[in-house]
Amino acid sequence: MQSKLSPLAPLVRARRRRPRRGGRPHVIYLAIGFPPAAKSSAYRMRETANQFAARGWDVTVITLADESWEREYGLDHTLSVGVDPRISIVGLPLTRVDLETDLRAFSEARSLRPQQWIDQQRKQELQVFPEPVFGGWRPELEKAVLRVHREHPADLLMTTCAPYVNLAATWRLWDEHRVPYVVDFRDGWSVDVIGGGAAFAENSPAGRWEKRVLAEARAVWCVNEPIAQFYRDRYPALADRVRVVRNGYDEDCVPSTNHRPEPATGLTFGYLGSINFPPALLDSVLTGWRIARREQPLLARSRFEVRGHIGAGALREANAHMELLRAAASDGVEFGGPLPKAEVAAAYGRWDALVLMLVGGRFVTSGKVYEYAASGLPVLSAHEMDHDAATVLAGHPLWTGAVGLDPRRLATSFSEAARLALEATDDERAAARAHALRYARSAQLAPAVAEVTAAITGATATTGQISVGTSTEGGQA
Amino acid sequence: MTNVLIVVGERPQQKSVLLEALRRFRDQGASVGIVGDFPADALTVDVDLADVHPLAATPADPRLRRALARTQQPSRALWLRSWRDPWVRRRVRTADVLVALDSTAIHTVWEMAQRQPRADACNGIGAAGRVVRARHEGTYRPTRGALDEVSARAGIVVRGVRRAAVTGAKESLEAAMAPAVLRSGVGGRLWRSAVSIPGLPERVRVALAYRVHLRSVQSGRPGLAAATTTAAAARMSSRRARADLLTREANGELDLGHVPVCLTEAVAAELALADEFLPKNKVRASRSLHKAMRLLFHRVPHFDQLSSPLAERPAEFLAPLRASTTARALAAPRGRATPAAAPPTGRPLRLLIMTNGNAHFLREIRQRYAETPGVELRYLHLADDPIAGPLTRNPGGIVEHLVAGQSEFGNRVEEWLRPHLDWADTLFVDWCVATAAITTLVDPGNTRVIMRLHSFEAFSFWPHLIDFSRVDDLVFVSEHLRDLTTEVVPALTGARAPRLRVIPNAMDLTGYQRPKDPSARFTLGLIGTSAVAKDPRWAIEVLRRLRATDERYRLLLVGGGLNPDASESVRHYEEALSTDLAELEPSGAVTRIGHVDDVPGVLSGIGSILSSSVRESFHCALVEGAASGAVPVVRDWPFFADRAAGARTLFPADWVVGSQEEAAARIRATTASEEVWRAEGAAAAEYATKTWDWTVVQHDFDELFLPRAGRQE
């Protein structure tokens, strides 16, 4: 017998959709990580919601309650300032038990075998939905979506992944009420963005879920062309509905002017972003930094400032990355913790060059590459050579180029970035900013939201940008 | 004042993070104690930051020792040890914040928290930091009440009663696994069926199968052990659980000094796990591979027995490794960006010699090239280097780097080694062990790389961690080691393999020719008895056969003895040897004289020099004995006896014997009279000196290090 939770359960007969309230279309936006969650995905979510609101939609965001984010990367309320006040937010009391740091909340069994307990949890979560960690949230998410729809009938469900368990709630609303939906798949699910290729087979539980949900989607958004192509190849019937919506950058994060380097006191290199790549990558960069300092007096008196979130739960700012950074303090490396969104532009304004540390390869773009490109600063790439960030940076006049992760080659890149920082002219900096203009976040999302609006409401698809009131507001890095 | 107690269950990994947190705690007025299971030197903390209290490595309390023996879980054992410590109890009584620094410490802090309801119990130093800061800033809000305390106390009583019941049940179970039960057909079938009952929880099945397996091995029923494991494994759906069971059993048997009955299955299971991890998590894949390699090349099967499955059937023994995708990723040749440069012409050749092993075999080489015009010599013993030393003690780091292609460990090697590679024209690494492996983690630039493999390395995992595509020349000390190693390590054949050379060990034999006393004629000598592979009991058996007809023969055992703590199989051999010695030493038939510096002096009293080993690469002590004029008697080393090359091809045919009887016969014949004995000895001395003395062998090394084009005559 099939479980009620199985994607293979018989379809419930579709019910008639209720009329709109007050004539305004209503979108339920399933966006786990919406502001004030201090997550890198929050910017894209904020812009998406604002774009819908600006185009005349009632927007109800479903995310987690603020307390839930405390266990992860915490909160940045400056991010919420930029959220259109017309947007309603529903915070669900879902938490990640694996990130619990109060040992009094542990059972004796969990205290004895913490890892096995987590493994057991994972197995149970997978029974509910084939996604570890988040699979167990399925019933609550489904209930929440149905409740919101009951209270205010939706014309569209916009769902953004990860987590992929959102697809279950998306399907449930479609299954029961035939509410059309768009999946903002960002980095995709069945594509292994780190290793390349497929992460799971089409006939696996996750594969069956993905295939079924995407088949009925009005549109599927991805953050770059390689991921989009992966989905076009995997599901040919879906090809004309797959669209690239790059992450882009928020214009308020870009400094209006750059700091003038002072060779006598040394330069300041900066990194801004979540530090969630393998420790070995960070170590290669720090090793390259040390080698460069050994060989170049200018770098020997320079600093490398690292800002962002490190680790979650028990490992928050107490993991292998943190150890590497603390141990590198004598090499001019400073870790300053996360940076509120409102302070991002100022940080770029006082730095001389940026270090772009990224995991993965051609399927990974990241969000920060756009911001880096638009900063007008030299950008040192620390990622694989065949990486989508290289596509974004190709032609950027102050880019050192992708040399891979060999520490000696990275040391050369540090020297090159230092040279660019010292020698870049105002024209070159302006050209660097101009290079990134097309990646402004609103320029990326506005046409996509316009298309969806047109498809659902029949409104003319005005693809031009609409002011959504965030360009001068703060946010979170 | 906030009192913080940090519990550490494993060697602290993030020391800088911990020290930073301790400094913050101090600045926020906290008093910190740290207790845990770590050696005192593993955590150096200023006294103003924390009071550090390592737990006693071996508890004095016999009750505690018994309790620990019954406890399988490290997390529970840490709690038992901590709570018996008065220092810990005092600290818990006053603690406001209890902190588990790692997952092993969680249970201890959890138990402490039941006994100190007032304190916060934090998982991780970061969470503790937030509580300490809140207390310091006055924003702390306690959330526990009196009811929580009552509930905690009641919980302690309930759990105590439950544990007592479980312990009793376990003891009954152990009794049902007594050797007599397992040796009976009914008992064996019963347990084999028990571990394969459908529906048994996996954890219970694993625990039961492990116990039955080990008890069966101890009861002399390896067949039952294997059958039990096969039956249990067939019922297990999780690949990881199956691998864990098999490797745990294998390690249990190795601890008993046995070659595991399911060694191949355990290695294959762990490698399957590695292959499963490989596409998504190369670090975890490398850990499983390292675990498998540690099992495959454990000392018990290869070094602490008189035979080795690797020598007997290398292809079959290494088949799981060959079949593993992860192992193939490890062995993938990375090559070098530029070939080795020709020797310099305008300046001396810079020769760097490195090792982290026994430097004895480098003495003559170092001396010669330190004095050779046109050579600038540097010598590094990595064990003496504060940075390189730890790098040589981390094979797991090497495996991770090779599998993942990038690692922190590799970066440390690059930082340390690069300046040396930049300096050297030629690098010679003696012993194919850690130094050789870390050397090939980095591209050597245009430095010529030469390595030398002696013997034991071929039976270890080290050659499998060396990227031979970055080695120009590999030197063996004998042909039979070359043959075996090339069979074992595929990277030594093919287009990217180094040049393979055979050059005997460097030995200055001139000082060994001293006059021998006539009484030496009946004295057999065996120099070097510190390894099972030297098999001194074989020599004792030869002596017995000689003394059966002539009691004038005696045996001198020279060198340090066996270390019975090395493994149970060494202990078994050592016990048998002690029995032999107890019989023969009182009469003076056997004399042990321990380690001596003056080997030529000792050899002057030895008439026949023995090589009783099951394997040798060259056996310098035998050759030194021959050079002294003692009659060489060489066992046809069994590890190589069936191969094309071995003792019979290394030495003159009449030196080598196929059995103890043949050995006794040769000794009788060559010592039949003083004249015969002296003539045989003189011939052996002449042969040894003309063949292996440094004055002869040094030319091979000149050819190796100073190819004619670059030599300054």
Side-chain angles (χ1 to χ4, degrees), chain B residues 30-46:
Chain B
S31 160
V32 181
I34 301 177
V35 64
D37 188 14
F38 51 83
D41 61 347
L43 186 61
T44 313
V45 175
D46 288 346

mmCIF file with all atom_site columns, all heavy atoms in Angstrom, chain B residues 30-46:
data_model
loop_
_atom_site.group_PDB
_atom_site.id
_atom_site.type_symbol
_atom_site.label_atom_id
_atom_site.label_alt_id
_atom_site.label_comp_id
_atom_site.label_asym_id
_atom_site.label_entity_id
_atom_site.label_seq_id
_atom_site.pdbx_PDB_ins_code
_atom_site.Cartn_x
_atom_site.Cartn_y
_atom_site.Cartn_z
_atom_site.occupancy
_atom_site.B_iso_or_equiv
_atom_site.pdbx_formal_charge
_atom_site.auth_seq_id
_atom_site.auth_comp_id
_atom_site.auth_asym_id
_atom_site.auth_atom_id
_atom_site.pdbx_PDB_model_num
ATOM 1   N N   . ALA B 1 30 ? 35.315 34.794 33.609 1.00 0.00 ? 30 ALA B N   1
ATOM 2   C CA  . ALA B 1 30 ? 34.979 33.396 33.888 1.00 0.00 ? 30 ALA B CA  1
ATOM 3   C C   . ALA B 1 30 ? 36.199 32.635 34.403 1.00 0.00 ? 30 ALA B C   1
ATOM 4   O O   . ALA B 1 30 ? 37.338 32.958 34.061 1.00 0.00 ? 30 ALA B O   1
ATOM 5   C CB  . ALA B 1 30 ? 34.445 32.729 32.625 1.00 0.00 ? 30 ALA B CB  1
ATOM 6   N N   . SER B 1 31 ? 35.935 31.619 35.239 1.00 0.00 ? 31 SER B N   1
ATOM 7   C CA  . SER B 1 31 ? 36.991 30.712 35.685 1.00 0.00 ? 31 SER B CA  1
ATOM 8   C C   . SER B 1 31 ? 36.770 29.388 34.957 1.00 0.00 ? 31 SER B C   1
ATOM 9   O O   . SER B 1 31 ? 35.662 28.836 34.986 1.00 0.00 ? 31 SER B O   1
ATOM 10  C CB  . SER B 1 31 ? 36.878 30.518 37.198 1.00 0.00 ? 31 SER B CB  1
ATOM 11  O OG  . SER B 1 31 ? 37.542 29.351 37.578 1.00 0.00 ? 31 SER B OG  1
ATOM 12  N N   . VAL B 1 32 ? 37.809 28.899 34.316 1.00 0.00 ? 32 VAL B N   1
ATOM 13  C CA  . VAL B 1 32 ? 37.622 27.744 33.420 1.00 0.00 ? 32 VAL B CA  1
ATOM 14  C C   . VAL B 1 32 ? 38.450 26.542 33.870 1.00 0.00 ? 32 VAL B C   1
ATOM 15  O O   . VAL B 1 32 ? 39.635 26.682 34.203 1.00 0.00 ? 32 VAL B O   1
ATOM 16  C CB  . VAL B 1 32 ? 38.016 28.113 31.969 1.00 0.00 ? 32 VAL B CB  1
ATOM 17  C CG1 . VAL B 1 32 ? 37.797 26.925 31.037 1.00 0.00 ? 32 VAL B CG1 1
ATOM 18  C CG2 . VAL B 1 32 ? 37.218 29.308 31.479 1.00 0.00 ? 32 VAL B CG2 1
ATOM 19  N N   . GLY B 1 33 ? 37.819 25.386 33.875 1.00 0.00 ? 33 GLY B N   1
ATOM 20  C CA  . GLY B 1 33 ? 38.526 24.123 34.068 1.00 0.00 ? 33 GLY B CA  1
ATOM 21  C C   . GLY B 1 33 ? 38.353 23.273 32.824 1.00 0.00 ? 33 GLY B C   1
ATOM 22  O O   . GLY B 1 33 ? 37.306 23.329 32.174 1.00 0.00 ? 33 GLY B O   1
ATOM 23  N N   . ILE B 1 34 ? 39.396 22.529 32.462 1.00 0.00 ? 34 ILE B N   1
ATOM 24  C CA  . ILE B 1 34 ? 39.303 21.643 31.297 1.00 0.00 ? 34 ILE B CA  1
ATOM 25  C C   . ILE B 1 34 ? 39.691 20.245 31.747 1.00 0.00 ? 34 ILE B C   1
ATOM 26  O O   . ILE B 1 34 ? 40.761 20.046 32.323 1.00 0.00 ? 34 ILE B O   1
ATOM 27  C CB  . ILE B 1 34 ? 40.247 22.095 30.160 1.00 0.00 ? 34 ILE B CB  1
ATOM 28  C CG1 . ILE B 1 34 ? 39.917 23.525 29.715 1.00 0.00 ? 34 ILE B CG1 1
ATOM 29  C CG2 . ILE B 1 34 ? 40.149 21.141 28.976 1.00 0.00 ? 34 ILE B CG2 1
ATOM 30  C CD1 . ILE B 1 34 ? 40.835 24.075 28.642 1.00 0.00 ? 34 ILE B CD1 1
ATOM 31  N N   . VAL B 1 35 ? 38.822 19.289 31.497 1.00 0.00 ? 35 VAL B N   1
ATOM 32  C CA  . VAL B 1 35 ? 39.129 17.906 31.855 1.00 0.00 ? 35 VAL B CA  1
ATOM 33  C C   . VAL B 1 35 ? 38.903 17.037 30.631 1.00 0.00 ? 35 VAL B C   1
ATOM 34  O O   . VAL B 1 35 ? 38.072 17.351 29.792 1.00 0.00 ? 35 VAL B O   1
ATOM 35  C CB  . VAL B 1 35 ? 38.231 17.416 33.023 1.00 0.00 ? 35 VAL B CB  1
ATOM 36  C CG1 . VAL B 1 35 ? 36.760 17.391 32.614 1.00 0.00 ? 35 VAL B CG1 1
ATOM 37  C CG2 . VAL B 1 35 ? 38.670 16.049 33.493 1.00 0.00 ? 35 VAL B CG2 1
ATOM 38  N N   . GLY B 1 36 ? 39.674 15.968 30.554 1.00 0.00 ? 36 GLY B N   1
ATOM 39  C CA  . GLY B 1 36 ? 39.411 15.093 29.417 1.00 0.00 ? 36 GLY B CA  1
ATOM 40  C C   . GLY B 1 36 ? 40.455 14.038 29.211 1.00 0.00 ? 36 GLY B C   1
ATOM 41  O O   . GLY B 1 36 ? 41.402 13.879 29.988 1.00 0.00 ? 36 GLY B O   1
ATOM 42  N N   . ASP B 1 37 ? 40.236 13.327 28.122 1.00 0.00 ? 37 ASP B N   1
ATOM 43  C CA  . ASP B 1 37 ? 41.083 12.198 27.793 1.00 0.00 ? 37 ASP B CA  1
ATOM 44  C C   . ASP B 1 37 ? 42.087 12.634 26.736 1.00 0.00 ? 37 ASP B C   1
ATOM 45  O O   . ASP B 1 37 ? 41.863 12.455 25.553 1.00 0.00 ? 37 ASP B O   1
ATOM 46  C CB  . ASP B 1 37 ? 40.200 11.069 27.255 1.00 0.00 ? 37 ASP B CB  1
ATOM 47  C CG  . ASP B 1 37 ? 40.994 9.794  27.065 1.00 0.00 ? 37 ASP B CG  1
ATOM 48  O OD1 . ASP B 1 37 ? 42.116 9.721  27.599 1.00 0.00 ? 37 ASP B OD1 1
ATOM 49  O OD2 . ASP B 1 37 ? 40.502 8.884  26.372 1.00 0.00 ? 37 ASP B OD2 1
ATOM 50  N N   . PHE B 1 38 ? 43.147 13.246 27.173 1.00 0.00 ? 38 PHE B N   1
ATOM 51  C CA  . PHE B 1 38 ? 44.179 13.669 26.234 1.00 0.00 ? 38 PHE B CA  1
ATOM 52  C C   . PHE B 1 38 ? 45.512 13.688 26.973 1.00 0.00 ? 38 PHE B C   1
ATOM 53  O O   . PHE B 1 38 ? 45.553 13.920 28.187 1.00 0.00 ? 38 PHE B O   1
ATOM 54  C CB  . PHE B 1 38 ? 43.860 15.060 25.655 1.00 0.00 ? 38 PHE B CB  1
ATOM 55  C CG  . PHE B 1 38 ? 43.559 16.102 26.700 1.00 0.00 ? 38 PHE B CG  1
ATOM 56  C CD1 . PHE B 1 38 ? 44.577 16.780 27.340 1.00 0.00 ? 38 PHE B CD1 1
ATOM 57  C CD2 . PHE B 1 38 ? 42.246 16.388 27.046 1.00 0.00 ? 38 PHE B CD2 1
ATOM 58  C CE1 . PHE B 1 38 ? 44.299 17.736 28.300 1.00 0.00 ? 38 PHE B CE1 1
ATOM 59  C CE2 . PHE B 1 38 ? 41.959 17.333 28.018 1.00 0.00 ? 38 PHE B CE2 1
ATOM 60  C CZ  . PHE B 1 38 ? 42.994 18.016 28.651 1.00 0.00 ? 38 PHE B CZ  1
ATOM 61  N N   . PRO B 1 39 ? 46.596 13.423 26.268 1.00 0.00 ? 39 PRO B N   1
ATOM 62  C CA  . PRO B 1 39 ? 47.893 13.512 26.929 1.00 0.00 ? 39 PRO B CA  1
ATOM 63  C C   . PRO B 1 39 ? 48.191 14.960 27.309 1.00 0.00 ? 39 PRO B C   1
ATOM 64  O O   . PRO B 1 39 ? 47.726 15.890 26.640 1.00 0.00 ? 39 PRO B O   1
ATOM 65  C CB  . PRO B 1 39 ? 48.882 13.010 25.868 1.00 0.00 ? 39 PRO B CB  1
ATOM 66  C CG  . PRO B 1 39 ? 48.139 12.983 24.587 1.00 0.00 ? 39 PRO B CG  1
ATOM 67  C CD  . PRO B 1 39 ? 46.675 13.004 24.885 1.00 0.00 ? 39 PRO B CD  1
ATOM 68  N N   . ALA B 1 40 ? 48.927 15.129 28.398 1.00 0.00 ? 40 ALA B N   1
ATOM 69  C CA  . ALA B 1 40 ? 49.171 16.475 28.931 1.00 0.00 ? 40 ALA B CA  1
ATOM 70  C C   . ALA B 1 40 ? 49.769 17.402 27.878 1.00 0.00 ? 40 ALA B C   1
ATOM 71  O O   . ALA B 1 40 ? 49.456 18.589 27.834 1.00 0.00 ? 40 ALA B O   1
ATOM 72  C CB  . ALA B 1 40 ? 50.087 16.381 30.144 1.00 0.00 ? 40 ALA B CB  1
ATOM 73  N N   . ASP B 1 41 ? 50.622 16.843 26.986 1.00 0.00 ? 41 ASP B N   1
ATOM 74  C CA  . ASP B 1 41 ? 51.276 17.710 26.009 1.00 0.00 ? 41 ASP B CA  1
ATOM 75  C C   . ASP B 1 41 ? 50.376 18.047 24.815 1.00 0.00 ? 41 ASP B C   1
ATOM 76  O O   . ASP B 1 41 ? 50.754 18.812 23.949 1.00 0.00 ? 41 ASP B O   1
ATOM 77  C CB  . ASP B 1 41 ? 52.585 17.072 25.513 1.00 0.00 ? 41 ASP B CB  1
ATOM 78  C CG  . ASP B 1 41 ? 52.329 15.739 24.815 1.00 0.00 ? 41 ASP B CG  1
ATOM 79  O OD1 . ASP B 1 41 ? 51.200 15.217 24.949 1.00 0.00 ? 41 ASP B OD1 1
ATOM 80  O OD2 . ASP B 1 41 ? 53.234 15.238 24.143 1.00 0.00 ? 41 ASP B OD2 1
ATOM 81  N N   . ALA B 1 42 ? 49.171 17.468 24.777 1.00 0.00 ? 42 ALA B N   1
ATOM 82  C CA  . ALA B 1 42 ? 48.285 17.727 23.639 1.00 0.00 ? 42 ALA B CA  1
ATOM 83  C C   . ALA B 1 42 ? 47.565 19.057 23.768 1.00 0.00 ? 42 ALA B C   1
ATOM 84  O O   . ALA B 1 42 ? 46.986 19.545 22.807 1.00 0.00 ? 42 ALA B O   1
ATOM 85  C CB  . ALA B 1 42 ? 47.264 16.601 23.493 1.00 0.00 ? 42 ALA B CB  1
ATOM 86  N N   . LEU B 1 43 ? 47.582 19.618 24.953 1.00 0.00 ? 43 LEU B N   1
ATOM 87  C CA  . LEU B 1 43 ? 46.869 20.879 25.149 1.00 0.00 ? 43 LEU B CA  1
ATOM 88  C C   . LEU B 1 43 ? 47.648 21.750 26.129 1.00 0.00 ? 43 LEU B C   1
ATOM 89  O O   . LEU B 1 43 ? 47.607 21.534 27.338 1.00 0.00 ? 43 LEU B O   1
ATOM 90  C CB  . LEU B 1 43 ? 45.453 20.601 25.688 1.00 0.00 ? 43 LEU B CB  1
ATOM 91  C CG  . LEU B 1 43 ? 44.545 21.809 25.797 1.00 0.00 ? 43 LEU B CG  1
ATOM 92  C CD1 . LEU B 1 43 ? 44.312 22.445 24.430 1.00 0.00 ? 43 LEU B CD1 1
ATOM 93  C CD2 . LEU B 1 43 ? 43.206 21.410 26.410 1.00 0.00 ? 43 LEU B CD2 1
ATOM 94  N N   . THR B 1 44 ? 48.384 22.687 25.572 1.00 0.00 ? 44 THR B N   1
ATOM 95  C CA  . THR B 1 44 ? 49.161 23.590 26.411 1.00 0.00 ? 44 THR B CA  1
ATOM 96  C C   . THR B 1 44 ? 48.394 24.903 26.549 1.00 0.00 ? 44 THR B C   1
ATOM 97  O O   . THR B 1 44 ? 48.161 25.594 25.564 1.00 0.00 ? 44 THR B O   1
ATOM 98  C CB  . THR B 1 44 ? 50.544 23.860 25.765 1.00 0.00 ? 44 THR B CB  1
ATOM 99  O OG1 . THR B 1 44 ? 51.080 22.598 25.358 1.00 0.00 ? 44 THR B OG1 1
ATOM 100 C CG2 . THR B 1 44 ? 51.484 24.514 26.735 1.00 0.00 ? 44 THR B CG2 1
ATOM 101 N N   . VAL B 1 45 ? 48.014 25.187 27.768 1.00 0.00 ? 45 VAL B N   1
ATOM 102 C CA  . VAL B 1 45 ? 47.200 26.382 28.023 1.00 0.00 ? 45 VAL B CA  1
ATOM 103 C C   . VAL B 1 45 ? 47.810 27.149 29.184 1.00 0.00 ? 45 VAL B C   1
ATOM 104 O O   . VAL B 1 45 ? 48.191 26.541 30.202 1.00 0.00 ? 45 VAL B O   1
ATOM 105 C CB  . VAL B 1 45 ? 45.752 25.966 28.374 1.00 0.00 ? 45 VAL B CB  1
ATOM 106 C CG1 . VAL B 1 45 ? 44.916 27.174 28.757 1.00 0.00 ? 45 VAL B CG1 1
ATOM 107 C CG2 . VAL B 1 45 ? 45.102 25.238 27.210 1.00 0.00 ? 45 VAL B CG2 1
ATOM 108 N N   . ASP B 1 46 ? 47.920 28.462 29.033 1.00 0.00 ? 46 ASP B N   1
ATOM 109 C CA  . ASP B 1 46 ? 48.446 29.276 30.130 1.00 0.00 ? 46 ASP B CA  1
ATOM 110 C C   . ASP B 1 46 ? 47.583 29.099 31.374 1.00 0.00 ? 46 ASP B C   1
ATOM 111 O O   . ASP B 1 46 ? 46.355 28.994 31.269 1.00 0.00 ? 46 ASP B O   1
ATOM 112 C CB  . ASP B 1 46 ? 48.441 30.763 29.726 1.00 0.00 ? 46 ASP B CB  1
ATOM 113 C CG  . ASP B 1 46 ? 49.526 31.047 28.698 1.00 0.00 ? 46 ASP B CG  1
ATOM 114 O OD1 . ASP B 1 46 ? 50.403 30.183 28.522 1.00 0.00 ? 46 ASP B OD1 1
ATOM 115 O OD2 . ASP B 1 46 ? 49.466 32.113 28.067 1.00 0.00 ? 46 ASP B OD2 1
#
